[in-house]
């Protein structure tokens, strides 16, 4: 009989043979050292730190102070010894950012997805889920044991047709990303709100990538699309534009009281560490105070999208800092990534199963801390992608 390691080695060899083996990319330069001259580090175009807050002195200082004041760890789950005043303060600020009555913190976005969905629906209920939803929502749907129907990406008419016999189910929940993490497009929230309002389905929006980035006040996709007050379950994360780690659900006081009692990933997991909460508090304040960061980010993203389109690359139009450049085969995407890296530009290749077969891509993400010279470097590297590869996917 084969040993564990023999079986796993075969699996890994199969992945490698299909260009699908994953490796971590280790960053070895300390914070703040980013220029090539200083350390030969490639310029990173793959960070979720959209507003440049993970390294912001005020955010780092707030993390340090929270750690000194409250200790390195929170010492327990939220319902035992783990709840600090700091957690409640941040929950209040997040509710204010989202314009809801209350908010509840989770250890990560993944934990929020797998905890909240099964708390809201179960056997005998129906979930409608966008086909490109984040893995945390997909796994939350599976864990819930509700019947899951997947609608074509952004296709509200398809979602509506899948709700035709919705009355048979006890509860109906529609879940969608606000900003889709690998395509950088936004969900058709006004239409989805309309559908949910006419059918009595509940709408949950995971706005991991929109929070702090979209909307006049940085509240996210819900604000950007003008549907404030119409989304009953709003999820956001602290690990992207807010430069920290963790996540939250924002909604009515009743929703939050209920999740505090029923979301297993909230109840049975250690409360987020003081440093992460302190950092996020400082970030939320900067999001409120400095709209110019969002504006600069939107400007950079628009410029880069347009420039890549002019190069003839398959880049969709959009409003977010996530810019997909579809290559097709995983091998092509990997080849492009290596070519760019040789020019000092790091843009991650995204391969199945993260994206559907045949849509492997580079996923460029812009941040407010990219300078004009970084963008010039990236665009010249893209312009030099070898024609044999780039040409195959020109529009
Ligand atoms: C990143 C992401 C998550 C997971 O959040 P973490 O805090 O990193 O676990 C969930 N949903 C979406 C849409 C995301 O992009």
């Amino acid at each position: 009989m084969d040993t564990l390691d023999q079986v796993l080695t075969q699996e890994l060899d199969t992945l490698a043979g299909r260009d699908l083996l994953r490796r971590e990319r280790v960053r070895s330069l300390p914070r703040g050292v980013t220029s090539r001259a200083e350390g030969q580090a490639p310029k990173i175009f793959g960070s979720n730190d959209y507003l440049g807050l993970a390294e912001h002195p005020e955010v780092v200082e707030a993390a340090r102070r929270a750690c000194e004041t409250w200790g390195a760890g929170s010492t327990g789950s939220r319902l035992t010894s783990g709840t600090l005043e700091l957690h409640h303060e941040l929950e209040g600020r997040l509710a204010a950012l989202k314009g809801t009555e209350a908010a509840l913190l989770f250890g990560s976005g993944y934990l929020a997805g797998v905890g909240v969905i099964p708390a809201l629906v179960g056997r005998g209920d129906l979930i409608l889920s966008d086909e490109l939803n984040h893995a945390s929502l997909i796994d939350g749907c599976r864990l819930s044991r509700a019947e899951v129907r997947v609608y074509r990406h952004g296709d509200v008419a398809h979602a509506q047709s899948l709700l035709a016999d919705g009355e048979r189910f006890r509860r109906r929940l529609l879940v969608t990303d606000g900003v889709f993490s690998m395509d950088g497009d936004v969900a058709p929230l006004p239409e989805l709100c309309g559908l949910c309002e006419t059918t009595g389905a509940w709408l949950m929006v995971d706005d991991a990538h929109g929070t702090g980035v979209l909307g006049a006040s940085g509240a996210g996709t819900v604000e950007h699309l003008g549907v404030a007050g119409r989304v009953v379950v709003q999820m956001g994360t602290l690990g992207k534009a807010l430069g920290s780690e963790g996540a939250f659900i924002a909604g009515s006081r009743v929703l939050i009281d209920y999740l505090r009692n029923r979301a297993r990933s909230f109840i049975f997991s250690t409360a987020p560490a003081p440093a992460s909460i302190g950092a996020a508090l400082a970030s939320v304040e900067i999001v409120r105070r400095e709209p110019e960061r969002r504006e600069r980010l939107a400007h950079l993203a628009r410029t880069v999208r347009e420039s890549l389109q002019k190069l003839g690359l398959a880049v969709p139009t959009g409003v977010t800092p996530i810019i997909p450049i579809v290559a097709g085969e995983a091998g092509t995407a990997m080849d492009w990534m290596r070519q760019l890296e040789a020019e000092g530009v790091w843009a991650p290749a995204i391969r199945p199963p993260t994206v559907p077969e045949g849509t492997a891509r580079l996923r460029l993400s812009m941040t407010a801390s990219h300078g004009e010279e970084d963008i010039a470097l990236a665009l010249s590297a893209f312009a030099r992608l070898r024609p044999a590869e780039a040409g195959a996917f020109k529009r």
Side-chain angles (χ1 to χ4, degrees), residues 60-146:
V60 173
E61 172 60 17
R64 196 183 61 74
R65 260 189 288 115
C67 186
E68 278 178 4
T69 308
W70 297 95
S74 64
T75 81
S77 67
R78 285 291 298 275
L79 300 181
T80 59
S81 62
T83 296
L84 308 172
E85 277 173 13
L86 212 55
H87 292 108
H88 279 178
E89 188 182 344
L90 179 58
E91 285 169 345
R93 297 289 174 82
L94 291 168
L97 174 70
K98 292 284 179 178
T100 60
E101 285 176 3
L104 191 67
L105 288 165
F106 285 77
S108 73
Y110 186 85
L111 285 172
V114 299
V116 171
I117 296 173
L120 297 178
V121 290
R123 250 188 256 285
D125 298 333
L126 175 65
I127 300 176
L128 292 188
S129 174
D130 188 290
E131 67 179 332
L132 294 188
N133 275 349
H134 190 263
S136 56
L137 300 182
I138 295 172
D139 293 357
C141 290
R142 288 180 184 154
L143 266 178
S144 76
R145 299 188 176 93

Side-chain angles (χ1 to χ4, degrees), residues 98 100 203-205 219 222 231-236 248-251 255:
K98 292 284 179 178
T100 60
L203 180 57
M204 171 170 174
V205 175
V222 165
V231 177
V232 290
V233 187
Q234 297 195 56
M235 176 177 152
F248 64 96
I249 296 292
L255 171 71

